[in-house]
Amino acid sequence: MARLKIELPESFAFSVSIPVRITDLNYGGHVGNDTILSLLHEARVQFLLSRSYTEMNMEGVGLIMSDAAIEFKAELFHGEALKAYVTAGDFGRVGFNLYYKLVKGSEETIVAAGRTGMVCFDYSRKKPVPLPSKAMETLGT
């Protein structure tokens, strides 16, 4: 069976620590796969805020996620220190990709690699819109 392989960038523009809550655990006693996507969402929000953006206002346009990919690498447990790295790339006419690397511990063991496709979106018209050049500059740094 073919496996998903996410090619992560060599460097990341942003990192944030995210606490692992007891409610993040599943019946297996570790962080569930659905929670990993929620952790990517939190990391994305923090990354955007670090550039004075939100998902609803990035240089006057909103963002909507068009796709997501996660490659699970290691279990994550309550009480472990989680750090999320985020960077933007693959800029196109109406969107870009965000890449994520979730790590734990002082050795920064990779828990998960992720990628989300983000499309610039006008929520009032329910249509994709062009990626503002200023946003591309800001996100690319």
Side-chain angles (χ1 to χ4, degrees):
M1 170 169 67
R3 297 275 182 215
L4 176 71
K5 180 69 175 145
I6 298 172
E7 295 294 328
L8 292 176
E10 288 190 25
S11 63
F12 285 80
F14 174 81
S15 69
V16 63
S17 295
I18 302 174
V20 177
R21 304 166 308 166
I22 193 70
T23 56
D24 293 333
L25 305 185
N26 65 14
Y27 55 86
H30 56 243
V31 172
N33 57 6
D34 56 331
T35 300
I36 296 292
L37 185 59
S38 293
L39 292 169
L40 297 184
H41 185 195
E42 180 64 30
R44 177 173 62 253
V45 168
Q46 295 299 325
F47 170 72
L48 292 170
L49 284 173
S50 76
R51 272 105 175 117
S52 300
Y53 294 147
T54 69
E55 291 180 319
M56 297 305 291
N57 187 358
M58 185 185 72
E59 300 297 337
V61 302
L63 289 173
I64 194 166
M65 186 169 55
S66 62
D67 55 56
I70 302 171
E71 188 178 357
F72 301 99
K73 301 282 198 173
E75 291 178 296
L76 181 62
F77 299 97
H78 180 253
E80 290 186 306
L82 176 68
K83 189 173 191 179
Y85 291 93
V86 184
T87 199
D90 307 325
F91 295 97
R93 189 179 67 77
V94 297
F96 55 94
N97 285 329
L98 287 176
Y99 291 92
Y100 310 83
K101 180 170 66 169
L102 302 183
V103 302
K104 67 178 182 176
S106 59
E107 296 86 30
E108 294 204 340
T109 302
I110 298 177
V111 172
R115 182 195 51 77
T116 56
M118 305 304 296
V119 173
C120 296
F121 198 73
D122 182 331
Y123 279 89
S124 64
R125 295 181 8 220
K126 305 291 186 205
K127 294 175 63 170
V129 294
L131 172 64
S133 59
K134 174 79 167 129
M136 186 168 55
E137 292 170 22
T138 302
L139 294 173
T141 60

